[in-house]
PDB file of all heavy atoms in Angstrom:
ATOM      1  N   ALA A 181     -22.973  17.353  74.926  1.00  0.00           N
ATOM      2  CA  ALA A 181     -22.929  15.887  74.943  1.00  0.00           C
ATOM      3  C   ALA A 181     -21.875  15.341  73.976  1.00  0.00           C
ATOM      4  O   ALA A 181     -21.188  14.361  74.277  1.00  0.00           O
ATOM      5  CB  ALA A 181     -24.305  15.322  74.589  1.00  0.00           C
ATOM      6  N   VAL A 182     -21.756  15.978  72.819  1.00  0.00           N
ATOM      7  CA  VAL A 182     -20.735  15.546  71.844  1.00  0.00           C
ATOM      8  C   VAL A 182     -19.333  15.760  72.425  1.00  0.00           C
ATOM      9  O   VAL A 182     -18.477  14.865  72.388  1.00  0.00           O
ATOM     10  CB  VAL A 182     -20.891  16.325  70.516  1.00  0.00           C
ATOM     11  CG1 VAL A 182     -19.745  15.980  69.563  1.00  0.00           C
ATOM     12  CG2 VAL A 182     -22.229  16.003  69.869  1.00  0.00           C
ATOM     13  N   ILE A 183     -19.101  16.945  72.978  1.00  0.00           N
ATOM     14  CA  ILE A 183     -17.792  17.249  73.573  1.00  0.00           C
ATOM     15  C   ILE A 183     -17.544  16.352  74.784  1.00  0.00           C
ATOM     16  O   ILE A 183     -16.430  15.854  75.000  1.00  0.00           O
ATOM     17  CB  ILE A 183     -17.719  18.731  73.971  1.00  0.00           C
ATOM     18  CG1 ILE A 183     -17.964  19.620  72.748  1.00  0.00           C
ATOM     19  CG2 ILE A 183     -16.364  19.065  74.597  1.00  0.00           C
ATOM     20  CD1 ILE A 183     -18.179  21.086  73.073  1.00  0.00           C
ATOM     21  N   ASP A 184     -18.586  16.151  75.588  1.00  0.00           N
ATOM     22  CA  ASP A 184     -18.506  15.297  76.771  1.00  0.00           C
ATOM     23  C   ASP A 184     -18.069  13.889  76.396  1.00  0.00           C
ATOM     24  O   ASP A 184     -17.251  13.258  77.082  1.00  0.00           O
ATOM     25  CB  ASP A 184     -19.877  15.274  77.460  1.00  0.00           C
ATOM     26  CG  ASP A 184     -19.850  14.599  78.822  1.00  0.00           C
ATOM     27  OD1 ASP A 184     -19.766  13.361  78.855  1.00  0.00           O
ATOM     28  OD2 ASP A 184     -19.910  15.300  79.841  1.00  0.00           O
ATOM     29  N   ASP A 185     -18.622  13.385  75.297  1.00  0.00           N
ATOM     30  CA  ASP A 185     -18.280  12.033  74.854  1.00  0.00           C
ATOM     31  C   ASP A 185     -16.810  11.945  74.444  1.00  0.00           C
ATOM     32  O   ASP A 185     -16.114  10.987  74.777  1.00  0.00           O
ATOM     33  CB  ASP A 185     -19.169  11.624  73.680  1.00  0.00           C
ATOM     34  CG  ASP A 185     -18.983  10.161  73.297  1.00  0.00           C
ATOM     35  OD1 ASP A 185     -19.459   9.297  74.053  1.00  0.00           O
ATOM     36  OD2 ASP A 185     -18.339   9.893  72.266  1.00  0.00           O
ATOM     37  N   ILE A 186     -16.339  12.956  73.729  1.00  0.00           N
ATOM     38  CA  ILE A 186     -14.943  12.965  73.286  1.00  0.00           C
ATOM     39  C   ILE A 186     -14.001  12.977  74.490  1.00  0.00           C
ATOM     40  O   ILE A 186     -13.086  12.138  74.600  1.00  0.00           O
ATOM     41  CB  ILE A 186     -14.670  14.190  72.391  1.00  0.00           C
ATOM     42  CG1 ILE A 186     -15.443  14.063  71.068  1.00  0.00           C
ATOM     43  CG2 ILE A 186     -13.174  14.338  72.107  1.00  0.00           C
ATOM     44  CD1 ILE A 186     -15.393  15.309  70.221  1.00  0.00           C
ATOM     45  N   LEU A 187     -14.232  13.903  75.416  1.00  0.00           N
ATOM     46  CA  LEU A 187     -13.348  14.017  76.577  1.00  0.00           C
ATOM     47  C   LEU A 187     -13.534  12.847  77.543  1.00  0.00           C
ATOM     48  O   LEU A 187     -12.563  12.329  78.098  1.00  0.00           O
ATOM     49  CB  LEU A 187     -13.623  15.338  77.299  1.00  0.00           C
ATOM     50  CG  LEU A 187     -13.389  16.624  76.491  1.00  0.00           C
ATOM     51  CD1 LEU A 187     -13.760  17.854  77.315  1.00  0.00           C
ATOM     52  CD2 LEU A 187     -11.939  16.711  76.033  1.00  0.00           C
ATOM     53  N   GLY A 188     -14.776  12.432  77.735  1.00  0.00           N
ATOM     54  CA  GLY A 188     -15.062  11.348  78.678  1.00  0.00           C
ATOM     55  C   GLY A 188     -14.457  10.023  78.254  1.00  0.00           C
ATOM     56  O   GLY A 188     -13.882   9.299  79.081  1.00  0.00           O
ATOM     57  N   LEU A 189     -14.558   9.685  76.967  1.00  0.00           N
ATOM     58  CA  LEU A 189     -13.994   8.418  76.489  1.00  0.00           C
ATOM     59  C   LEU A 189     -12.467   8.454  76.503  1.00  0.00           C
ATOM     60  O   LEU A 189     -11.823   7.426  76.720  1.00  0.00           O
ATOM     61  CB  LEU A 189     -14.508   8.105  75.082  1.00  0.00           C
ATOM     62  CG  LEU A 189     -15.978   7.679  75.011  1.00  0.00           C
ATOM     63  CD1 LEU A 189     -16.419   7.493  73.570  1.00  0.00           C
ATOM     64  CD2 LEU A 189     -16.204   6.389  75.791  1.00  0.00           C
ATOM     65  N   THR A 190     -11.899   9.616  76.258  1.00  0.00           N
ATOM     66  CA  THR A 190     -10.444   9.751  76.372  1.00  0.00           C
ATOM     67  C   THR A 190     -10.006   9.509  77.815  1.00  0.00           C
ATOM     68  O   THR A 190      -9.030   8.790  78.080  1.00  0.00           O
ATOM     69  CB  THR A 190      -9.989  11.151  75.923  1.00  0.00           C
ATOM     70  OG1 THR A 190     -10.437  11.376  74.579  1.00  0.00           O
ATOM     71  CG2 THR A 190      -8.475  11.271  75.985  1.00  0.00           C
ATOM     72  N   LEU A 213      -7.229  12.059  71.608  1.00  0.00           N
ATOM     73  CA  LEU A 213      -8.098  13.234  71.617  1.00  0.00           C
ATOM     74  C   LEU A 213      -8.167  13.875  70.235  1.00  0.00           C
ATOM     75  O   LEU A 213      -9.249  14.251  69.758  1.00  0.00           O
ATOM     76  CB  LEU A 213      -7.572  14.234  72.644  1.00  0.00           C
ATOM     77  CG  LEU A 213      -8.460  15.441  72.981  1.00  0.00           C
ATOM     78  CD1 LEU A 213      -9.798  14.977  73.539  1.00  0.00           C
ATOM     79  CD2 LEU A 213      -7.761  16.352  73.982  1.00  0.00           C
ATOM     80  N   SER A 216     -10.393  11.886  67.791  1.00  0.00           N
ATOM     81  CA  SER A 216     -11.829  12.069  68.036  1.00  0.00           C
ATOM     82  C   SER A 216     -12.305  13.427  67.532  1.00  0.00           C
ATOM     83  O   SER A 216     -13.322  13.519  66.834  1.00  0.00           O
ATOM     84  CB  SER A 216     -12.121  11.937  69.533  1.00  0.00           C
ATOM     85  OG  SER A 216     -11.730  10.663  70.015  1.00  0.00           O
ATOM     86  N   VAL A 217     -11.568  14.479  67.897  1.00  0.00           N
ATOM     87  CA  VAL A 217     -11.937  15.832  67.459  1.00  0.00           C
ATOM     88  C   VAL A 217     -11.854  15.939  65.941  1.00  0.00           C
ATOM     89  O   VAL A 217     -12.738  16.524  65.294  1.00  0.00           O
ATOM     90  CB  VAL A 217     -11.021  16.881  68.126  1.00  0.00           C
ATOM     91  CG1 VAL A 217     -11.292  18.266  67.558  1.00  0.00           C
ATOM     92  CG2 VAL A 217     -11.221  16.883  69.635  1.00  0.00           C
ATOM     93  N   VAL A 220     -14.943  14.360  64.173  1.00  0.00           N
ATOM     94  CA  VAL A 220     -16.137  15.217  64.226  1.00  0.00           C
ATOM     95  C   VAL A 220     -16.014  16.349  63.212  1.00  0.00           C
ATOM     96  O   VAL A 220     -16.956  16.633  62.447  1.00  0.00           O
ATOM     97  CB  VAL A 220     -16.340  15.787  65.648  1.00  0.00           C
ATOM     98  CG1 VAL A 220     -17.472  16.815  65.656  1.00  0.00           C
ATOM     99  CG2 VAL A 220     -16.638  14.666  66.631  1.00  0.00           C
ATOM    100  N   LEU A 266     -14.940   6.985  69.265  1.00  0.00           N
ATOM    101  CA  LEU A 266     -16.159   7.598  69.786  1.00  0.00           C
ATOM    102  C   LEU A 266     -17.286   6.579  69.859  1.00  0.00           C
ATOM    103  O   LEU A 266     -17.250   5.536  69.204  1.00  0.00           O
ATOM    104  CB  LEU A 266     -16.592   8.761  68.883  1.00  0.00           C
ATOM    105  CG  LEU A 266     -15.715  10.007  68.905  1.00  0.00           C
ATOM    106  CD1 LEU A 266     -16.144  10.962  67.792  1.00  0.00           C
ATOM    107  CD2 LEU A 266     -15.796  10.701  70.250  1.00  0.00           C
TER     108      LEU A 266
END
Side-chain angles (χ1 to χ4, degrees):
V182 174
I183 302 169
D184 189 285
D185 188 73
I186 293 172
L187 299 178
L189 288 176
T190 303
L213 190 60
S216 301
V217 174
V220 173
L266 290 171

